[in-house]
């Protein structure tokens, strides 16, 4: 596992300018006159020399599919991308290049990835969907556990 992970990590770092690990971020949204804070801790954010960011999340369990991520069933990296684009991680970027889920397994293949490319318009669509969802909960005052 260690050999494959070190190679994976070195290949990733070779093309990047900065690496940010376990970094906290947040944004505040005004939803129907109420301030809502969205927070996240990104496992890793890589930024290359052109200012293109890659957000990585390490998993030991099942990786979400692209369909699950894009449909909102696995929103973690999309939320982190929205926070990053809105300055919530205090990292200067020009755009989000991709989202990457990295599975570390105890059997071969030791490293598996799911990469998701998102355009700025797709991320904007997800932000609008998040705002609509939050408006519903704030308006209905229903916050299920």
């Amino acid at each position: 596992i260690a050999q494959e992970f070190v190679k994976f990590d070195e290949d990733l770092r070779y093309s990047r300018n900065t690496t940010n690990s376990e970094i906290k971020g947040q944004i505040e949204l005004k939803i129907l006159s109420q301030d809502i804070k969205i927070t996240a801790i990104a496992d890793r954010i890589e930024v290359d020399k052109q200012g293109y960011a890659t957000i990585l999340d390490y998993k030991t369990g099942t990786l979400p599919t692209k369909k699950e991520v894009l449909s909102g069933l696995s929103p973690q990296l999309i939320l982190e991308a929205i926070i990053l684009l809105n300055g919530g991680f205090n990292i200067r970027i020009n755009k989000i290049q991709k989202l990457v889920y990295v599975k570390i397994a105890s059997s071969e293949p030791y490293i598996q990835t799911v990469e998701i490319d998102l355009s700025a318009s797709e991320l904007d669509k997800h932000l609008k969907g998040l705002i609509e969802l939050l408006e519903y909960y704030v308006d209905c005052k229903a916050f299920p556990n």
Side-chain angles (χ1 to χ4, degrees), residues 47-60:
V47 182
D48 68 14
K49 290 173 179 58
Q50 290 78 34
Y52 294 177
T54 298
I55 305 173
L56 294 99
D57 184 57
Y58 294 99
K59 298 285 187 201
T60 55

Side-chain angles (χ1 to χ4, degrees), residues 12-110:
L12 192 62
R13 288 177 188 263
Y14 178 75
S15 64
R16 303 292 187 239
N17 191 36
T18 60
T19 299
N20 304 275
S21 299
E22 291 295 317
I23 185 168
K24 294 179 183 179
Q26 69 180 32
I27 58 170
E28 285 196 22
L29 301 172
K30 183 72 90 177
I31 306 294
L32 302 176
S33 302
Q34 187 170 339
D35 292 328
I36 304 289
K37 186 184 296 185
I38 308 291
T39 62
I41 299 174
D43 286 352
R44 187 164 170 168
I45 299 174
E46 301 273 344
V47 182
D48 68 14
K49 290 173 179 58
Q50 290 78 34
Y52 294 177
T54 298
I55 305 173
L56 294 99
D57 184 57
Y58 294 99
K59 298 285 187 201
T60 55
T62 305
L63 291 174
T65 65
K66 289 180 184 180
K67 184 178 180 179
E68 290 171 334
V69 173
L70 296 176
S71 71
L73 288 175
S74 294
Q76 179 182 353
L77 288 186
I78 288 179
L79 288 172
E80 290 176 9
I82 290 169
I83 292 169
L84 180 60
L85 280 175
N86 287 281
F89 284 105
N90 294 317
I91 299 172
R92 289 182 49 183
I93 66 162
N94 291 325
K95 74 175 226 174
I96 304 288
Q97 184 174 27
K98 60 186 163 184
L99 310 176
V100 181
Y101 286 95
V102 181
K103 179 178 180 174
I104 302 171
S106 59
S107 59
E108 291 187 3
Y110 298 115

